Amino acid sequence: MGPMRRPPPARQRGGVIELRELTKRYGDRIAVDDLSFTVSPGRVTGFLGPNGAGKTTTMRMALGLGRPTSGTALVHGRPYAQLREPLRQVGALLEGSAAHGRRRARSHLLWLARSNRIPRTRVREVLGMVGLEDVARKMPQGFSLGMNQRLGIAAALLGDPPLLLLDEPVNGLDPEGILWIRNLMKDLAAEGRTVLVSSHLMSEMALTADHLVVIGKGRLLADTPMNDFIAQHSRSRVRVRTPEPDRMREALTRAGLRVSTGEDGTLEADGTEVSFVGEVASRAGITVHELSRRAASLEEAFMGLTGEYVDHRGTARVPDQAEAAPPGPDRDPADVRTERGDR
Amino acid sequence: MTAETGTAERGVRRRGGALAAEWTKIRTLPSTLWTLLTAFVLTVGIAAVYGIVLRDAYGDMDAKGRSTWDPVYSGLNGLTFGELGMVAFAVLVVGAEYSTGTIRASLTAVPRRGLFYASQLLAGTLLSLVVAVVTTYAAFFVSQAGIGPEHNASLGDPGVLRATLGACVYLTLLCLFSMGVAAMLRSSTLSLGVLIPLFFILSEVLTNVSKVKTVAKYLPDEAGRQIMRLVPWDDKLGAWEGLWVMVAWTVAAVAGGYVMLRRREI
């Protein structure tokens, strides 16, 4: 029995998550629709979509908790259920910590460690990593949502896995916690690990992810490097401050631009560049006090992309009744929060 | 060492990990362990009282009563109440997984559902067996001491060892049965809502209605309890017959729980 048979240690060797034509139906509703993409090591991949887009359903299938209607989800090249000592190969955070409210934090990690023959010294280590060493002997029922989230992350890190799947990890974390998890994910990716992190907040992903996978209503909308996504989907706007706003608006509209009025009375021309607006102003002989380019926010780019795929909107367009409330497990994080609070 | 034995050994240790995890889970949940302590205290406490009551009762009995005198079964009557704690323990071990979401962590750690299920049931069963032995023999000795040396039973008397060991087996099967039911229903409250009426109301009521007596004797607890009798009863199942019926119930519940765990999504 040579040492060759055993896979090399986690570090410097990520793993791959591979979804092939993954589809999940709940009765009539299609939660995940022919989804194919690959998550590569060494970078943080943001898994983005509005609430109810199918992110959690997809991650649950990758972990073997949910069964695909068709297609496959492979981690390290095989179905999750076939992994040997999976906690050493995949770290997962799903909807918080999944810890029993009356089992001490340390004990929760201890039984997990036992299940995959991870040395018990590692329990203390991960508790330190997530900043929970002071409450190691406390019961999670007294934890805040953020502390529970940290306990869940500690569980994910327990086996020092080369691949991490984190479902909405910033949920319930305070600003300091958010910064911490952001840096943690970047560090893990920098060590060569594979990190897939889901979120419904584009702004959060913009600060963390190197690569983006965007889904809406279970379908793949984009699979692209972060920078390309920004370039492709953001429309730049030009801000114009002028003493003659009415004339300026007229001139810009005549030039074929869409113009709106900003909060402070300035004008904003959509989808154009500073140089073009400058020329229009010059030709019309209008005095200009300020001319600046405003990159569209990523949030706007995201909404532009997923706009028609949003499942439940506050007001305005009302979606079809049939797709209003998904009965599946892919719930709004706000719902989850309430549930956990009641426990 | 050849490659084959190395792999096999590692496989065994891996499965041992799943069992160690389930044992750690049980051990680290004080609220679950209280149910077992309650079972012990209730059973032994009632046995102490019963022993003294039975000593006086024997004196008042006629010849017919004395001919069916069963100090073991009567002395262990407290088990009826102790069962409640044992059933609650079994239900909590399995049901808490679902009510707290721990099942998701369990199945990501041990994705082979059969292995997870077997480990959980084995850990729960072993602990309930230990508690059953301690409880049964404590109750036996306490109640026999209360009855007094003239009319009590001792372990060497015919059938006593079978009755007391049978009581341990019965309690353990009861736990295993309850764990299977909890795995089928995937909820502690629902399981207790089914099991408590079944064990503590239904069988009491049905056995007292003459027309359904024949059905009632096949209920798991009514059947399983007969192993504790020194003197068999006419309208109940025999000791071994009853135990086998109990085993059949248990196998069915455990299999049902397994099918549910395999088929349902988490």
Side-chain angles (χ1 to χ4, degrees):
Chain A
M1 187 72 239
M4 299 293 289
R5 293 275 292 273
R6 204 150 177 86
R11 247 166 265 266
Q12 275 92 44
R13 200 189 140 106
V16 170
I17 304 171
E18 197 181 355
L19 308 184
R20 291 188 203 142
E21 293 155 17
L22 195 66
T23 300
K24 179 71 190 181
R25 290 174 182 280
Y26 292 104
D28 282 350
R29 199 181 80 94
I30 189 155
V32 176
D33 189 357
D34 196 28
L35 195 58
S36 299
F37 65 86
T38 300
V39 185
S40 305
R43 63 190 187 193
V44 177
T45 301
F47 190 28
L48 198 63
N51 289 328
K55 303 184 295 290
T56 302
T57 308
T58 303
M59 290 180 124
R60 281 159 31 88
M61 286 192 283
L63 293 169
L65 295 175
R67 231 168 259 116
T69 308
S70 63
T72 48
L74 303 178
V75 282
H76 297 288
R78 41 169 100 175
Y80 186 88
Q82 288 178 16
L83 295 177
R84 296 280 175 222
E85 294 177 351
L87 297 186
R88 294 169 180 266
Q89 303 190 49
V90 180
L93 173 77
L94 277 178
E95 286 178 26
S97 65
H100 192 297
R102 270 171 294 184
R103 186 180 283 120
R104 298 171 202 282
R106 199 181 58 171
S107 306
H108 174 65
L109 296 173
L110 181 62
W111 78 255
L112 278 169
R114 279 279 160 81
S115 69
N116 280 233
R117 295 189 302 137
I118 295 162
R120 65 187 302 160
T121 50
R122 179 72 183 159
V123 169
R124 186 194 291 266
E125 263 173 55
V126 291
L127 279 168
M129 284 169 77
V130 302
L132 287 182
E133 58 268 82
D134 291 344
V135 293
R137 291 165 159 277
K138 295 256 160 62
M139 295 179 182
Q141 62 185 358
F143 285 7
S144 67
L145 189 58
M147 286 159 84
N148 258 311
Q149 201 72 340
R150 282 170 187 262
L151 181 57
I153 291 162
L157 296 174
L158 196 59
D160 196 17
L163 194 155
L164 287 116
L165 267 107
L166 309 171
D167 194 10
E168 305 266 4
V170 300
N171 243 0
L173 291 177
D174 52 16
E176 185 231 350
I178 291 174
L179 188 65
W180 167 75
I181 184 82
R182 221 180 260 160
N183 289 330
L184 177 72
M185 288 190 287
K186 285 180 180 170
D187 290 349
L188 291 168
E191 286 169 8
R193 297 178 213 244
T194 309
V195 182
L196 179 68
V197 50
S198 81
S199 177
H200 61 283
L201 296 173
M202 184 67 210
S203 50
E204 183 50 43
M205 286 298 95
L207 293 164
T208 321
D210 309 302
H211 193 88
L212 264 190
V213 171
V214 184
I215 64 169
K217 286 202 179 160
R219 234 169 293 162
L220 186 69
L221 301 179
D223 179 359
T224 163
M226 191 72 195
N227 291 335
D228 291 5
F229 178 85
I230 297 168
Q232 270 171 34
H233 292 284
S234 62
R235 292 156 57 94
S236 69
R237 284 182 299 180
V238 175
R239 196 162 97 121
V240 191
R241 203 149 56 83
T242 166
E244 302 166 273
D246 293 339
R247 279 191 62 214
M248 188 72 209
R249 175 192 289 274
E250 210 184 303
L252 289 170
T253 311
R254 230 183 297 124
L257 294 176
R258 220 157 50 95
V259 185
S260 56
T261 308
E263 296 141 31
D264 50 352
T266 58
L267 298 177
E268 283 188 1
D270 240 15
T272 184
E273 293 301 325
V274 169
S275 53
F276 183 75
V277 176
E279 280 164 28
V280 171
S282 151
R283 254 182 281 141
I286 300 169
T287 310
V288 169
H289 290 162
E290 183 195 329
L291 208 53
S292 58
R293 182 176 183 278
R294 292 192 55 205
S297 78
L298 281 168
E299 210 66 53
E300 286 164 331
F302 172 52
M303 281 162 65
L305 183 64
T306 60
E308 55 184 302
Y309 293 98
V310 174
D311 230 5
H312 28 70
R313 220 180 266 274
T315 49
R317 277 180 14 186
V318 177
D320 297 341
Q321 286 299 314
E323 43 187 68
D330 206 349
R331 287 164 301 178
D332 190 290
D335 297 340
V336 175
R337 204 166 307 168
T338 326
E339 244 173 52
R340 297 172 58 80
D342 289 349
R343 194 184 293 163
Chain B
M1 187 198 296
T2 68
E4 282 74 32
T5 60
T7 310
E9 252 171 47
R10 274 220 310 274
V12 168
R13 265 185 283 148
R14 217 156 23 224
R15 283 189 284 277
L19 182 60
E22 291 309 317
W23 169 240
T24 309
K25 264 189 207 171
I26 292 175
R27 174 174 79 72
T28 54
L29 210 52
S31 49
T32 309
L33 298 173
W34 277 105
T35 57
L36 292 175
L37 188 66
T38 309
F40 176 82
V41 170
L42 266 178
T43 308
V44 178
I46 293 170
V49 176
Y50 252 71
I52 296 161
V53 171
L54 285 167
R55 186 212 303 254
D56 295 341
Y58 188 87
D60 299 339
M61 275 180 192
D62 53 16
K64 188 171 171 276
R66 290 185 182 183
S67 72
T68 56
W69 170 242
D70 189 340
V72 176
Y73 190 83
S74 304
L76 290 179
N77 221 313
L79 279 182
T80 316
F81 300 94
E83 278 172 15
L84 188 71
M86 302 284 282
V87 168
F89 162 75
V91 164
L92 286 176
V93 165
V94 175
E97 292 273 332
Y98 296 95
S99 58
T100 60
T102 312
I103 187 73
R104 286 194 299 268
S106 298
L107 290 180
T108 42
V110 184
R112 288 170 56 197
R113 296 188 180 188
L115 174 60
F116 159 71
Y117 188 59
S119 304
Q120 181 157 71
L121 263 49
L122 187 57
T125 303
L126 288 176
L127 182 58
S128 51
L129 177 64
V130 169
V131 174
V133 169
V134 172
T135 306
T136 302
Y137 283 99
F140 173 78
F141 289 120
V142 164
S143 60
Q144 300 313 312
I147 293 169
E150 285 165 46
H151 307 297
N152 72 0
S154 63
L155 276 181
D157 294 347
V160 172
L161 205 58
R162 183 260 299 157
T164 47
L165 282 178
C168 302
V169 173
Y170 162 67
L171 284 176
T172 308
L173 287 174
L174 196 69
C175 279
L176 195 50
F177 173 79
S178 304
M179 285 193 276
V181 170
M184 274 195 277
L185 299 177
R186 297 148 66 95
S187 153
S188 303
T189 39
L190 199 58
S191 305
L192 287 175
V194 168
L195 292 173
I196 291 190
L198 174 68
F199 291 145
F200 303 98
I201 301 171
L202 196 64
S203 55
E204 294 295 320
V205 172
L206 291 187
T207 46
N208 289 318
V209 180
S210 54
K211 279 186 182 169
V212 289
K213 258 184 192 172
T214 43
V215 182
K217 67 182 178 186
Y218 292 103
L219 288 173
D221 58 333
E222 272 300 307
R225 216 176 268 160
Q226 304 312 315
I227 193 80
M228 292 151 54
R229 288 188 195 278
L230 289 182
V231 186
W233 276 31
D234 290 342
D235 50 357
K236 309 256 186 204
L237 295 175
W240 296 108
E241 205 183 354
L243 194 68
W244 284 115
V245 170
M246 177 79 190
V247 167
W249 277 99
T250 307
V251 169
V254 167
Y258 177 67
V259 169
M260 284 301 272
L261 183 64
R262 282 300 294 252
R263 291 180 55 179
R264 296 286 294 270
E265 306 215 335
I266 303 303

